[in-house]
């Protein structure tokens, strides 16, 4: 059976896997590798070390569906809504810009539940802590090396990580990228920011009238959300969780600082915005070096094919835009590129 490797267990990778399983004309062995210890990528949901039911979305917060994509990607929305994986956002997010015709959704079980749904649908073999380092051509197959363990061979490889991480890969892949492709890949840029998740004991009251708030007057903090309130799953048995996103200038300025120092700085500023917050029982600070795409690869909408025989293709929000619909668009383009080979 032909072996297909998808690098990245984020939204694009999981969608590629699910679409390949559905659309392939013959059985394929699908593998998804991710360097992280869990699925989700930038749609990650962290759990409290004291209570795994207390969770917080550290990356994507809610899904905005425009009227254009409500039609174009209707089957994706219908399926997730029918399964209760997405629910309408009904809580108040102060300062959120809502355009005419837009609908907003949250994932009650955490945004990573969307990714997990597609991974499950795909039936792929999912391997975490597999950091791909090299891709080489061997006997008309791709030999993929990782930080630990032996290299493995695949007939088809799909890369879905942020573009700067594609450019870091060593081996034959580095020479296969044409000059014009390299120039496009190097032009892709991302913002950087930090996210801080705070977990509280059951029964803790956080007395604010909103579930989320965009902050415009603080140099460090851009967004705060009472995450369980945002997802409309408040309960007396599970403690509340908070997520704080920093501004991009703060993220860029502190990119190489230690996580502990950055966490302290965020806490200091949080005290100015929400004075007297109780002590959290656990915290999780996440650096998003590649947060949201600020400039996509304009000449390669949705995907870039690096090699045809054997097939090597890249996708992800670097080829579209940083949101749910951007990832669907990319996954559909990857599928289209692969269609005649599967
Ligand atoms: C702070 C923040 C807020 C956001 N808010 C929203 C929002 O509200 N709504 C919205 O729709 N979108 C939002 N986004 C954007 C959205 O999260 C992304 O567009 C989307 O998750 C990108 O998915 P992806 O699969 O393309 O990439 P990723 O999620 O980045 O997945 C790529 C995966 O590849 C893995 N990887 C990288 N290099 C390697 C390697 N060498 N070997 C193996 N694995 C590797 C990574 O670990 C990662 O899991 C936000 C993003 C951030 C960071």
């Amino acid at each position: 059976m032909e072996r297909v490797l998808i690098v990245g267990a984020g939204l694009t990778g999981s969608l590629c896997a699910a679409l390949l399983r559905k659309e392939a004309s013959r059985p394929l062995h699908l593998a998804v590798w991710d360097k992280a210890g869990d699925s989700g990528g930038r749609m990650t949901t962290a759990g409290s070390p004291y209570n795994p039911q207390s969770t917080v979305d550290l990356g994507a917060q809610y899904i905005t569906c425009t009227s254009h994509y409500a039609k174009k990607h209707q089957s994706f929305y219908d399926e997730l809504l029918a399964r209760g994986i997405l629910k309408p956002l009904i809580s108040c997010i102060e300062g959120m810009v809502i355009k005419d015709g837009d609908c907003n959704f949250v994932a009650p079980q955490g945004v990573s539940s969307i990714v997990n749904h597609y991974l499950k649908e795909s039936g792929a073999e999912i391997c975490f802590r597999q950091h791909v380092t090299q891709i080489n051509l061997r006997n008309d197959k791709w030999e993929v090396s990782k930080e630990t363990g032996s290299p493995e061979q695949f007939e088809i490889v799909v890369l879905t990580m942020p573009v700067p991480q594609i450019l870091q890969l060593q081996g034959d892949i580095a020479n296969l990228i044409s000059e014009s492709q390299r120039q496009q890949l190097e032009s892709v840029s991302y913002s950087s920011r930090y996210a801080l998740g705070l977990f509280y004991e059951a029964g803790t009251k956080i007395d604010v009238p909103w579930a989320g708030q965009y902050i415009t007057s603080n140099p460090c903090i851009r967004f705060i959300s009472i995450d369980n309130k945002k997802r409309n799953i408040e309960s007396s048995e599970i403690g509340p969780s908070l997520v704080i996103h920093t501004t991009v200038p703060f993220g860029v300025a502190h990119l190489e600082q230690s996580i502990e120092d950055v966490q302290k700085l965020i806490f200091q500023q949080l005290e100015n915005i929400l004075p007297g917050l109780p002590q959290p029982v656990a915290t999780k600070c996440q650096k998003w070096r590649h947060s949201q795409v600020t400039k996509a690869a304009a000449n390669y909408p949705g995907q870039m094919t690096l090699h045809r025989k054997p097939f090597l293709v890249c996708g992800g929000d670097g080829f579209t835009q940083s949101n749910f619909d951007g990832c669907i668009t990319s996954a559909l383009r990857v599928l289209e590129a692969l269609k005649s080979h599967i």
Side-chain angles (χ1 to χ4, degrees):
M1 207 189 295
E2 261 185 315
R3 299 189 80 212
V4 180
L5 173 66
I6 295 161
V7 183
L11 182 59
T12 308
S14 65
L15 274 163
C16 285
L19 289 169
L20 280 169
R21 170 68 67 222
K22 209 166 133 198
E23 303 289 336
S25 60
R26 54 179 185 272
L28 299 169
H29 178 272
L30 294 175
V32 178
W33 289 3
D34 201 296
K35 68 183 169 109
D38 204 353
S39 53
R42 280 170 282 155
M43 292 203 169
T44 189
T45 303
S48 162
Y50 298 103
N51 179 0
Q53 284 179 293
S54 175
T55 55
V56 69
D57 287 337
L58 290 175
Q61 295 295 303
Y62 49 85
I63 308 296
T64 301
C65 175
T66 61
S67 49
H68 172 72
Y69 283 112
K71 285 199 199 90
K72 201 166 176 196
H73 294 158
Q74 189 187 352
S75 59
F76 294 89
Y77 284 100
D78 283 354
E79 190 202 0
L80 295 179
L81 285 163
R83 289 172 184 264
I85 295 168
L86 285 186
K87 291 240 164 104
L89 167 70
I90 52 171
S91 54
C92 164
I93 310 283
E94 284 185 1
M96 177 175 168
V97 181
I98 304 177
K99 298 202 187 100
D100 249 6
D102 283 5
C103 291
N104 290 292
F105 301 104
V106 285
Q109 298 311 309
V111 72
S112 70
S113 62
I114 304 174
V115 174
N116 288 334
H117 165 69
Y118 292 122
L119 288 176
K120 198 167 157 214
E121 291 269 286
S122 77
E125 175 198 5
I126 322 283
C127 304
F128 296 117
R129 297 188 182 83
Q130 301 275 43
H131 189 153
V132 173
T133 52
Q134 278 202 36
I135 302 184
N136 288 295
L137 261 178
R138 292 268 185 278
N139 311 320
D140 288 335
K141 289 186 183 178
W142 296 112
E143 186 180 79
V144 183
S145 307
K146 47 213 170 154
E147 262 180 11
T148 52
S150 325
E152 289 184 36
Q153 295 201 342
F154 297 89
E155 274 81 15
I156 296 174
V157 174
V158 180
L159 304 173
T160 70
M161 59 271 233
V163 171
Q165 290 169 335
I166 294 175
L167 287 168
Q168 279 167 15
L169 295 172
Q170 308 280 309
D172 292 339
I173 183 176
N175 307 319
L176 294 170
I177 302 175
S178 72
E179 217 22 69
S180 65
Q181 287 179 328
R182 183 170 293 280
Q183 185 244 322
Q184 279 283 300
L185 292 173
E186 283 172 352
S187 73
V188 177
S189 57
Y190 296 76
S191 58
S192 302
R193 59 173 95 234
Y194 284 87
L196 177 62
L198 307 176
F199 301 99
Y200 292 90
E201 258 174 1
T204 309
K205 294 265 172 301
I206 297 171
D207 200 13
V208 290
W210 38 263
Q213 192 181 41
Y214 284 92
I215 316 278
T216 50
S217 55
N218 189 281
C220 166
I221 295 177
R222 174 67 182 119
F223 178 76
I224 304 181
S225 173
I226 321 291
D227 198 63
N228 57 324
K229 194 169 170 185
K230 175 197 81 187
R231 291 187 273 136
N232 202 25
I233 52 157
E234 281 175 298
S235 125
S236 54
E237 279 121 66
I238 303 164
S241 54
L242 232 82
V243 62
I244 295 116
H245 282 172
T246 72
T247 63
V248 172
F250 176 91
V252 172
H254 298 86
L255 209 49
E256 306 309 335
Q257 227 161 312
S258 76
I259 284 277
E260 294 74 22
D261 287 353
V262 170
Q263 180 166 317
K264 270 188 213 140
L265 293 172
I266 301 173
F267 263 118
Q268 281 166 11
Q269 292 296 330
L270 186 62
E271 181 58 26
N272 298 328
I273 299 170
L274 292 177
L277 262 184
Q279 270 304 104
V281 285
T283 64
K284 166 90 179 138
C285 192
Q286 169 82 43
K287 176 173 21 187
W288 295 117
R289 184 181 291 276
H290 308 298
S291 180
Q292 284 124 305
V293 173
T294 48
K295 187 168 176 284
N299 298 349
Y300 293 86
Q303 61 90 19
M304 181 185 279
T305 301
L306 298 180
H307 200 267
R308 279 178 205 282
K309 274 186 180 171
F311 218 92
L312 176 60
V313 59
C314 343
D317 60 358
F319 300 88
T320 51
Q321 52 183 328
S322 278
N323 56 32
F324 183 62
D325 290 296
C327 294
I328 297 178
T329 302
S330 174
L332 288 170
R333 287 294 178 112
V334 167
L335 184 75
E336 203 178 289
L338 283 173
K339 207 117 196 220
S340 54
H341 296 71
I342 52 159

